[in-house]
Structures are given as C-alpha cells and as structure tokens.
C-alpha cells in the first residue's frame, strides 16, 4: 500500500511536468531572454535576478548576478524572477556563488531564499514571460531589454524599453518599443519572496508526505 502511494505521488509530479510541456492549441514553443542594458551606470551596486528556474521539468532554482551585456534565458515556468539591487559592500559574492554550487535543489533553494531574505536587497521589477507564441508567428526567440531608471534606499525603478523578435538564426526580424504609460510590475518589499514560496511550498509538501509514508513503513 505504501509503495502504491509513493508511486502515485511520483507519477503526479512527473505528470505535472509533462503536462506543463504540452503545446496549447495553435501555439508553438519559443525561447525568452532578458537583459538589463545600463548596469554600468550604477557601479556601486550589484544586480541579482532571483529565483531563476533553469529547468523545463521539475524546478531547479538558482540566483544569477546580472552583468553588462549579459543575456539571461528563462523557461518561463515555476515562478517569476525579480531583479534586485544591493550595494557592493553589502553583497557577499563568495557566499552567493557557493550556494549556487549546491547540488541538491531543495537545499540550494532553501539557503538561497534565506540569503536573499536576510540581505539588504532592493526589489524591483518582476519578470513575467511566456514560452509560447502563435503557431504562424515568424519569430522563435524573444529578447526583452530593461533599463534601470533610479535606485534609492529601498526602491529601484526598472522599465522595459524594447522587445526584440528573432528568427531561427537569431536574426532580428522585428523590434517593438515599450509603450509609455504602461504600469510596470514593481514588487513591493512585502512581496519579495512570493515567487520563491510558490515554487518551494509544493515541493516541501511532497517531501513531507513521502517522509511520513516512509516513517510509518519503518515502524512496522
């Protein structure tokens, strides 16, 4: 009976991952990436995107330091990463890098979450994207360009400035400037870790259920 329960739970997780990869009707798969174009204008700050999911299956959560001219690719599933700024003197780069090297995803996600929560990070824009486009669309790659407008003690303003559409050879075939007056999705300090919780809570719940089943089996 216990083995049956565990098998059902595993099938549920794997089935959810497979279902997430199914193409909606009339859609095709595309790649999305983003870049913050003027980071060199703020040399006193380090910029971090978190949580970054790198997997198209079960979530694999990392944090990424943003660099000038560095393009970040996203699978556009399991939460939306937020862009943060932190003063250089307040950022423990060695610790951050070491946490990203942890092999176990649950441990890495938990420790990175604590690192971000306890650090002096200033939250800003939440990246929302899609990995699907209309089947007859001519583009296969989307690159969104952002610009840091201002940073103060607890607020950073970032705007989307341009979206580039590329063909299969990554040649730009269209470019659209962001419309003025569009409200950006700015994250308040109270929302900083909502995306992280959306990812980690279901995983922790599954681990708890499996652990209870195994403990009961060992006691028999």
């Amino acid at each position: 009976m216990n083995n049956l329960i565990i098998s059902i739970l595993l099938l549920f997780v794997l089935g959810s991952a497979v279902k997430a990869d199914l193409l909606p009707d009339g859609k095709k798969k595309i790649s999305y990436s983003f870049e913050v174009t003027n980071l060199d204008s703020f040399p006193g700050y380090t910029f971090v995107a978190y949580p970054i999911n790198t997997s198209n299956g079960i979530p694999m959560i990392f944090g990424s330091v943003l660099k000038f001219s560095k393009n970040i690719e996203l699978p556009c599933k399991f939460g939306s990463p937020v862009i943060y700024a932190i003063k250089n003197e307040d950022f423990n780069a060695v610790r951050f890098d070491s946490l990203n090297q942890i092999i176990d995803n649950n441990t890495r996600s938990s420790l990175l979450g604590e690192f971000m929560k306890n650090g002096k990070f200033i939250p800003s824009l939440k990246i929302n994207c899609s990995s699907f486009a209309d089947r007859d669309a001519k583009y296969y790659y989307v690159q969104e360009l952002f610009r840091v407008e201002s940073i103060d003690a607890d607020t950073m303003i970032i705007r989307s400035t341009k979206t580039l559409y590329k063909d299969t050879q990554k040649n730009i075939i269209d470019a659209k400037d962001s419309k003025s007056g569009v409200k950006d999705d700015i994250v308040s300090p109270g929302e900083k870790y909502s995306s992280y919780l959306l990812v980690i809570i279901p995983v922790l719940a599954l681990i708890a259920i499996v652990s209870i089943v195994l403990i009961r089996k060992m006691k028999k």
Side-chain angles (χ1 to χ4, degrees):
M1 182 65 180
N2 289 333
N3 290 334
L4 178 60
I5 294 174
I6 294 173
S7 298
I8 291 173
L9 289 171
L10 291 175
L11 286 172
F12 174 78
V13 173
L14 294 174
S16 298
V18 171
K19 184 178 179 180
D21 286 333
L22 293 178
L23 286 174
D25 290 340
K27 300 293 183 179
K28 67 178 179 181
K29 188 85 171 178
I30 62 170
S31 296
Y32 173 89
S33 64
F34 74 91
E35 178 187 340
V36 182
T37 60
N38 67 328
L39 297 181
D40 55 338
S41 299
F42 298 87
Y45 289 88
T46 297
F47 297 85
V48 173
Y50 177 83
I52 295 286
N53 171 46
T54 62
S55 171
N56 281 307
I58 296 174
M60 296 293 291
I61 303 302
F62 295 86
S64 180
V65 173
L66 304 184
K67 303 289 185 181
F68 179 67
S69 297
K70 178 181 179 181
N71 199 40
I72 303 293
E73 294 188 1
L74 297 178
C76 299
K77 58 170 61 175
F78 301 119
S80 303
V82 174
I83 299 176
Y84 299 89
I86 186 171
K87 290 183 178 180
N88 292 337
E89 59 267 28
D90 294 328
F91 182 60
N92 188 339
V94 174
R95 174 64 173 164
F96 185 74
D97 290 341
S98 67
L99 293 178
N100 274 296
Q101 298 300 317
I102 295 174
I103 296 176
D104 181 75
N105 183 63
N106 293 328
T107 302
R108 183 180 60 256
S109 299
S110 177
L111 293 178
L112 277 172
E114 287 298 317
F115 180 87
M116 299 297 297
K117 180 179 179 180
N118 296 327
K120 297 180 180 180
F121 290 93
I122 304 169
S124 184
L125 183 117
K126 182 188 296 182
I127 308 263
N128 293 304
C129 64
S130 174
S131 56
F132 301 106
D134 291 338
R135 187 176 298 160
D136 58 354
K138 296 180 180 179
Y139 62 88
Y140 289 82
Y141 294 87
V142 173
Q143 181 183 9
E144 192 167 7
L145 305 181
F146 295 98
R147 178 180 176 84
V148 180
E149 298 291 336
S150 63
I151 307 176
D152 59 29
D154 60 1
T155 303
M156 174 171 57
I157 303 298
I158 294 180
R159 305 293 186 194
S160 174
T161 60
K162 188 183 293 288
T163 304
L164 306 177
Y165 299 87
K166 304 178 182 181
D167 61 18
T168 56
Q169 303 301 314
K170 297 189 177 181
N171 298 311
I172 298 174
I173 58 175
D174 195 8
K176 294 182 179 180
D177 293 327
S178 296
K179 297 179 180 178
S180 59
V182 175
K183 184 179 183 297
D184 287 322
D185 188 6
I186 303 299
V187 180
S188 66
E191 298 182 287
K192 286 173 67 174
Y193 308 101
S194 60
S195 295
Y196 166 73
L197 292 175
L198 286 173
V199 173
I200 197 63
I201 287 176
V203 176
L204 293 177
L206 176 61
I207 293 173
I209 293 172
V210 174
S211 298
I212 291 172
V213 173
L214 293 176
I215 290 172
R216 288 180 176 177
K217 183 177 180 179
M218 292 174 64
K219 288 183 178 180
K220 290 183 177 181

